[in-house]
Amino acid sequence: EVVDARGKYILPGAIDAHVHFRDPGYTHKETWETGTASAAMGGVTTVFEMPNTNPPTGTVEALNLKLKSAEQAYVDFGIYGLLGEDNLTELEALIEGGVAGFKCFMGNTFGNLPSPPTGAILEGFEIVAKHGYRIALHAENASIMARRSKKLREAGRCDPLAHLDARPPVVATEAVSRAAILAEWTGARIHILHVSSGDELRPLREAKARGVDITAETCPHYLLLDERAYTEKKSLIRVNPPVREKTHQDQLWRAVQDGTIDMIATDHAPHSHEEKHRDDIWTTDCGFTGVQTQMPLMLTQVGAGRLSLTDYVRMTSLAPAKAFGLYPRKGALLPGSDADLVIIDMERETQVDSAKLKSKGSSTPFHGHAAKGAPVHTLVRGRFVMRDGALVTEAKGHGRNVRRIQQMPTPKPRNVETTTAAIVKKNRK
Ligand code: DOR
Ligand code: ZN
Ligand code: ZN
């Protein structure tokens, strides 16, 4: 098969480490078929999918249900197993069953999965650390935000900004710091999802400096929207954690440029039109579609000179490949070397249009935003899944679980230099 790529860039396909495909359980919001079609259209060749489905991916039985749904996938995928208080005894079976990593909800969000007490998180980290798989964290403190939300609701606030007021940066910063300390103690590898505030950067930088194996992502909405957008976008902008003030956005951009933030992921979180357009902020579902809009939106930033194309590829492909064991350790191969590729046209001008997204829950605060730079062909393991801007429908079911090629590095012992655990152990010898 031949396409004319003159004047275009051939890049490794994007790896989105953070998507919610809702299947099984909430298939009116998204399915594996529609979610991965949206990915293919967005130049994304691999996704890592979150466990807050119904049933949640906390048992092998639930994992097998999800793997069955995922047989519809257009693109390759990894599945996050749930790390919760009630399923600590299942974690090793989930690894055996084919998860590519774990997700722990430290704060409450869609699906209402309880956030495990710190003791349970520590135990979970200890178990997973033995196997080297990365644990992704929704790092928000459930207790702080539950109290604040209650007060705001009782005071009759139901405007979109009430959502931001319920989750000030300390909600996230406290959880990032705690997660980093637990990772340092146990030797677990962790990934901080959706960094939304400048305040989280200090514990992140400090943990990295101490040698904690910690990676972090932010999302296009934190880089491209700020508090001023609430008036126009209303309930549509509601997302956990919230889009914050411009001062946070500026700090996030600096952290993208200095490498503190390793990845750009989307937190693709589709909900139906009705679920996203409610007058009462407390009943509006959080999050929005993203896997198809990331590339045009971020390539626009590349074109505007805010990010080099090389850095963009590092943050959307190389870094997630390394963090999740998809980067071949032997030989000179690079991500995309099994021909997971996207061909982009940096001159193509488009407008984000909810009606044109393949995602079922296609409401997005980016609707109407202009973009310059777009994916035109997507190949997964050498096969076109999008061609000339159109979905290749025969490629449905081409997607494979990345676990078959995943190579996590051998587990590291605890940070011998700095943790008191290590020092105590040494002194007892
Ligand atoms: O806004 C969000 N939506 N944040 C999350 O952490 C979960 C997600 C969802 O699943 O809808
Ligand atoms: Zn989250
Ligand atoms: Zn999420």
Side-chain angles (χ1 to χ4, degrees):
E1 288 187 90
V2 180
V3 289
D4 189 348
R6 276 177 293 185
K8 308 207 171 51
Y9 291 90
I10 304 175
L11 308 179
I15 300 172
D16 192 336
H18 190 167
V19 304
H20 300 262
F21 282 167
R22 313 299 194 198
D23 182 0
Y26 308 103
T27 50
H28 67 289
K29 295 176 190 280
E30 195 75 291
T31 63
W32 275 88
E33 180 182 347
T34 55
T36 57
S38 207
M41 294 292 286
V44 175
T45 51
T46 302
V47 292
F48 286 83
E49 204 269 341
M50 289 295 172
N52 57 336
T53 41
N54 191 11
T57 321
T59 62
V60 173
E61 203 184 353
L63 172 64
N64 286 337
L65 268 179
K66 183 167 281 189
L67 288 170
K68 188 77 197 148
S69 301
E71 286 175 9
Q72 304 293 310
Y74 283 88
V75 303
D76 287 350
F77 56 85
I79 309 255
Y80 285 109
L82 180 70
L83 191 164
E85 182 179 18
D86 296 338
N87 76 330
L88 293 173
T89 55
E90 294 279 330
L91 301 181
E92 291 185 311
L94 282 165
I95 293 173
E96 189 74 19
V99 299
F102 288 90
K103 162 76 174 279
C104 173
F105 290 89
M106 296 174 85
N108 186 55
T109 186
F110 176 75
N112 287 317
L113 297 172
S115 60
T118 305
I121 300 176
L122 181 75
E123 276 179 40
F125 278 21
E126 281 173 336
I127 295 165
V128 177
K130 281 188 239 150
H131 302 272
Y133 289 91
R134 196 168 289 274
I135 303 157
L137 294 128
H138 178 110
E140 287 194 297
N141 180 303
S143 154
I144 303 174
M145 55 197 192
R147 298 181 76 94
R148 290 184 66 98
S149 308
K150 189 162 169 274
K151 277 193 184 158
L152 288 159
R153 286 178 89 147
E154 282 168 1
R157 290 277 307 276
C158 63
D159 58 299
L161 275 169
H163 177 62
L164 175 58
D165 292 343
R167 297 173 181 244
V170 64
V171 165
T173 312
E174 187 278 344
V176 170
S177 309
R178 184 154 42 103
I181 287 166
L182 301 178
E184 183 171 20
W185 181 265
T186 56
R189 300 194 158 90
I190 62 170
H191 176 62
I192 304 296
L193 299 160
H194 45 47
V195 174
S196 63
S197 72
D199 300 37
E200 290 155 84
L201 300 170
R202 192 173 75 171
L204 252 178
R205 289 187 176 117
E206 288 175 356
K208 286 185 172 195
R210 295 200 303 276
V212 179
D213 193 336
I214 184 170
T215 54
E217 68 179 35
T218 191
C219 315
H221 40 283
Y222 304 116
L223 293 171
L224 303 176
L225 301 173
D226 66 61
E227 186 215 4
R228 292 166 298 179
Y230 282 74
T231 321
E232 185 200 334
K233 314 284 183 189
K234 302 194 173 63
S235 58
L236 201 49
I237 203 174
R238 190 186 192 208
V239 60
N240 296 335
V243 166
R244 302 186 187 281
E245 297 83 351
K246 180 81 167 51
T247 165
H248 290 289
Q249 189 188 90
D250 294 343
Q251 293 176 72
L252 293 177
W253 270 107
R254 283 200 288 279
V256 161
Q257 276 138 11
D258 74 16
T260 303
I261 292 178
D262 305 86
M263 302 174 205
I264 293 167
T266 66
D267 196 3
H268 175 89
H271 299 285
S272 73
H273 183 272
E274 198 274 317
E275 290 161 339
K276 280 308 291 177
H277 292 79
R278 291 184 180 152
D279 288 337
D280 182 346
I281 195 66
W282 305 112
T283 57
T284 302
D285 280 343
C286 296
F288 35 81
T289 197
V291 76
Q292 192 172 343
T293 53
Q294 177 274 112
M295 199 169 285
L297 290 170
M298 294 312 299
L299 288 179
T300 307
Q301 301 302 307
V302 171
R306 294 190 86 180
L307 188 68
S308 72
L309 190 56
T310 309
D311 284 343
Y312 172 75
V313 170
R314 172 176 53 75
M315 296 192 78
T316 55
S317 186
L318 181 61
K322 283 188 167 166
F324 291 94
L326 304 183
Y327 185 76
R329 277 179 294 161
K330 295 237 168 68
L333 296 177
L334 291 166
S337 58
D338 58 352
D340 286 349
L341 301 170
V342 59
I343 299 171
I344 62 162
D345 181 347
M346 283 301 284
E347 300 305 316
R348 180 166 300 193
E349 297 189 39
T350 57
Q351 212 179 47
V352 175
D353 181 355
S354 286
K356 287 193 185 143
L357 302 177
K358 296 286 176 192
S359 180
K360 253 195 199 181
S362 62
S363 297
T364 161
F366 289 112
H367 177 73
H369 281 227
K372 186 172 179 189
V376 285
H377 313 284
T378 310
L379 294 97
V380 174
R381 284 173 281 105
R383 175 165 182 179
F384 283 92
V385 294
M386 171 177 77
R387 195 180 162 137
D388 292 317
L391 186 70
V392 178
T393 52
E394 310 83 69
K396 185 167 89 183
H398 179 60
R400 293 281 174 271
N401 187 347
V402 296
R403 249 300 287 272
R404 76 193 196 289
I405 54 161
Q406 200 182 17
Q407 290 181 301
M408 294 308 295
T410 34
K412 261 198 336 190
R414 291 168 174 175
N415 184 347
V416 186
E417 297 295 298
T418 54
T419 66
T420 52
I423 293 164
V424 167
K425 206 170 161 190
K426 209 169 117 196
N427 290 347
R428 289 219 183 122
K429 270 191 189 148

